[in-house]
Amino acid sequence: MPRNADENAGNAYGRGQQTWDAELTEVGPGTPCGEFMRRYWHPIALSEKVGPVPQNIRILGEDLILFRDRKGRPGLLYPRCAHRGTTLYYGKVEDEGIRCCYHGWLFDVKGHCLDQPCEPEGGKHKDNVRQPWYPVDELYGLVWAYMGPPEKKPVLTRWDTLETVGPDEMIHVTGSSTGAGGDDTVEIVPTNWLNDWENIMDPFHVPILHTTFSTVQFVPEFGVMPTVKWEHASHGMRYIAYRELDDGRKMDRITQALFPHARIVPDIRMKEGPAAGVGWVVPVDDTHFRLFHARKVPKDFKPIIVRHYDNRSWSELNEEEHQRFPGDWEAQVGQGPISLHSEENLATSDLGVVQLRRLLRRQIEIVKEGGDPLGVCFDPEQAVVKVQAGNFFKK
Ligand code: FES
Ligand SMILES: [Fe+2]
């Protein structure tokens, strides 16, 4: 008998426990996905925003202090001082590191204790103390952190499109929610990172959410239902969405998702050619993420402000307008703090999401088994990833 033949089938009363797939979504220390994530470098801040004033930052469910010492080195330390545990948020940054406000212990960016002013001779035993620290690096105008086992620290991945910057070009970085449907008034998106990352393998929301449901958010051509092929590709997977446009043009739009959370989306105005940049969906904790982007742009580039309705930006919409003209923010945050995977009914158009989750689960297993997941690289000669995404028109 068909499942819905009973008139009362699907009644909300007495429905089962609703759950999410914790293995794929939770990122705290010691969790399966958290340990997988801790095998990669993550962008954590824009370099230009990291100065001598200590900042609280949250990443992979850990609260940390980020600062730049007066010699220019970024540092990422556990917040509670190794002496008696006040936060280094109130510390003072000096040439060599950060000095705790309470009794003045000074720590460098690798957690070495350099001075204990209340102790005899400035601390005869200070070498026994180490403030917990994480390695950081800088690339493309971003500060990156590695929060995993030291012996497994990979090289920092580079991207070919960002390696070749011409004399009239520059790399433009952002850390706002713009690419997740918000705008530059908000940095942190209140939903699980996987809601956004798997959206990259979901080409079928483009003709609906972005084109016919809420007005044309990008270009009208995206209203044409694509023929889609999903496939494994270097460091993750990609899809090729083929469209025959009303004006006779034919195009392939190739989008990539690369481990652990990189997303390469071609130009949303359908400009021809390879994608100019890379985005990263960095988990803040289990129920928040932050998006970073680095893009190669002309030096005279002016950031595009996406207009959602009535020529207004996302943060200028009132509540009813968010309902009537939703975009990625509304759809993804609308999936809840973590999407309830037990309640889903995945369909043909979700093949990319299914494949991506399967591939992600495999990488998590590989880490559990002591192996190295896809995209982790220890050879500086192999550190550059080739960008395949773009809008490609066919003759
Ligand atoms: S608590 Fe930091 S120096 Fe005492
Ligand atoms: Fe979208």
Side-chain angles (χ1 to χ4, degrees), residues 199 205-206 209-210 218 328 332:
N199 165 273
H205 82 284
V206 177
L209 180 71
H210 295 310
F218 306 143
D328 279 320
Q332 292 172 29

Coordinates of all heavy atoms in Angstrom, one line a residue, residues 199 205-206 209-210 218 328 332, ligand 2:
N199 N 25.4 23.5 -0.3 CA 24.6 24.4 -1.2 C 25.4 24.6 -2.5 O 24.8 24.8 -3.5 CB 24.3 25.7 -0.5 CG 23.8 26.8 -1.4 OD1 24.6 27.5 -2.0 ND2 22.5 26.9 -1.6
H205 N 18.8 25.0 -6.9 CA 18.1 26.1 -6.2 C 18.3 27.4 -7.0 O 17.6 28.4 -6.7 CB 18.7 26.3 -4.8 CG 20.0 27.0 -4.6 ND1 21.2 26.5 -4.9 CD2 20.2 28.2 -4.2 CE1 22.1 27.3 -4.7 NE2 21.6 28.4 -4.3
V206 N 19.3 27.5 -7.9 CA 19.6 28.7 -8.6 C 18.4 29.2 -9.5 O 17.9 30.3 -9.3 CB 20.9 28.6 -9.4 CG1 21.1 29.9 -10.2 CG2 22.0 28.3 -8.5
L209 N 15.2 29.7 -6.2 CA 15.4 30.7 -5.2 C 15.9 32.0 -5.8 O 15.5 33.1 -5.4 CB 16.4 30.1 -4.1 CG 16.7 31.1 -3.0 CD1 15.5 31.3 -2.1 CD2 17.9 30.6 -2.2
H210 N 17.0 31.9 -6.6 CA 17.6 33.1 -7.1 C 17.1 33.8 -8.3 O 17.5 34.8 -8.7 CB 19.1 32.8 -7.4 CG 19.9 32.4 -6.1 ND1 19.9 33.1 -5.0 CD2 20.7 31.3 -5.9 CE1 20.6 32.6 -4.1 NE2 21.1 31.5 -4.6
F218 N 20.4 37.4 -9.6 CA 21.7 37.4 -10.3 C 21.4 37.8 -11.8 O 21.4 39.0 -12.1 CB 22.5 36.1 -10.2 CG 22.7 35.7 -8.8 CD1 22.6 34.3 -8.4 CD2 22.9 36.6 -7.7 CE1 22.8 33.9 -7.1 CE2 23.1 36.2 -6.4 CZ 23.1 34.8 -6.1
D328 N 19.9 33.1 -0.2 CA 20.7 32.1 0.4 C 20.6 32.1 1.9 O 20.5 31.1 2.6 CB 22.1 32.1 0.0 CG 22.3 31.4 -1.4 OD1 21.7 30.4 -1.6 OD2 23.1 31.9 -2.2
Q332 N 19.2 29.0 4.0 CA 20.1 28.2 4.8 C 19.9 28.4 6.3 O 19.9 27.4 7.0 CB 21.6 28.5 4.4 CG 21.9 28.1 3.0 CD 23.2 28.6 2.5 OE1 24.2 28.8 3.3 NE2 23.4 28.8 1.2
Ligands
FE2 FE 22.6 30.3 -3.7

